Amino acid sequence: MQTAANSHFDHDGKPDPGNVSLSYRLATGRRSVTYAGDTGLSPAVTVWAKGSDILVSEIMALDALLEEIRARRKDASPAMLGGMERHLSAHHLTPEAVGDIAAKAGAGRVVLTHFAVPPGPLAPYEPGLRAAIDAGYSGAVDLARDLQSFDVGCRA
């Protein structure tokens, strides 16, 4: 297993010395799985995922989340809302970003996890998430479910 720091705790392009977020690459023989972890757009993650059979990535429905925050926090100041939007945009991945990373890395499949969508069922967001990823990536995309497993073809 290999690890690399990603950009989750970068602020204005500078790492936060008190916090580190890691991406992992697990490889055996010619097979590999890359787990992006919480990250924003990160060239390091793209390089790390190069040729991975599976890229496991977080996913965020940014516009829906921001709409939900505005609806629930009517008392929120424009500065707070702006800060939240900057944080989410810089430190998490939109479906377009996931598609871009997967395509540039040549990942064989994307498995989505850590869904940052408004509270409630995931199903209403699935078509939009898939469509946005598919705009830049032509491989298989799965929305992970608890206890689900994926075969990367490693056989003893």
Side-chain angles (χ1 to χ4, degrees), residues 61-120:
L62 180 60
D63 292 339
L65 273 178
L66 293 173
E67 185 178 313
E68 177 76 12
I69 292 167
R70 286 184 191 102
R72 288 180 181 257
R73 293 292 313 268
K74 301 245 187 250
D75 61 331
S77 70
M80 180 272 204
L81 293 171
M84 180 62 68
E85 184 171 358
R86 280 189 303 282
H87 165 75
L88 291 172
S89 297
H91 300 282
H92 296 281
L93 294 173
T94 63
E96 294 84 1
V98 172
D100 183 60
I101 290 169
K104 286 179 179 172
R109 156 181 251 125
V110 170
V111 175
L112 302 172
T113 187
H114 186 42
F115 303 100
V117 299

Side-chain angles (χ1 to χ4, degrees), residues 9-10 20 39 47 50 54 57 60 80 82 85 88 102 121 132 144:
F9 286 111
D10 286 1
V20 175
T39 186
V47 169
K50 187 82 173 155
I54 297 177
S57 178
M60 169 186 59
M80 180 272 204
E85 184 171 358
L88 291 172

Side-chain angles (χ1 to χ4, degrees), residues 25 30-32 46-54 104-108:
R25 183 177 175 105
R30 296 177 308 186
R31 301 297 188 175
S32 63
T46 303
V47 169
W48 207 239
K50 187 82 173 155
S52 284
D53 295 283
I54 297 177
K104 286 179 179 172

Side-chain angles (χ1 to χ4, degrees), residues 3 31 45 79 120 125 130 145 151-152:
T3 62
R31 301 297 188 175
V45 171
Y125 302 98
R130 286 184 180 279
R145 307 288 187 235
D151 185 354
V152 292

Side-chain angles (χ1 to χ4, degrees), residues 2-13:
Q2 302 166 309
T3 62
N6 61 40
S7 65
H8 184 58
F9 286 111
D10 286 1
H11 299 284
D12 298 323

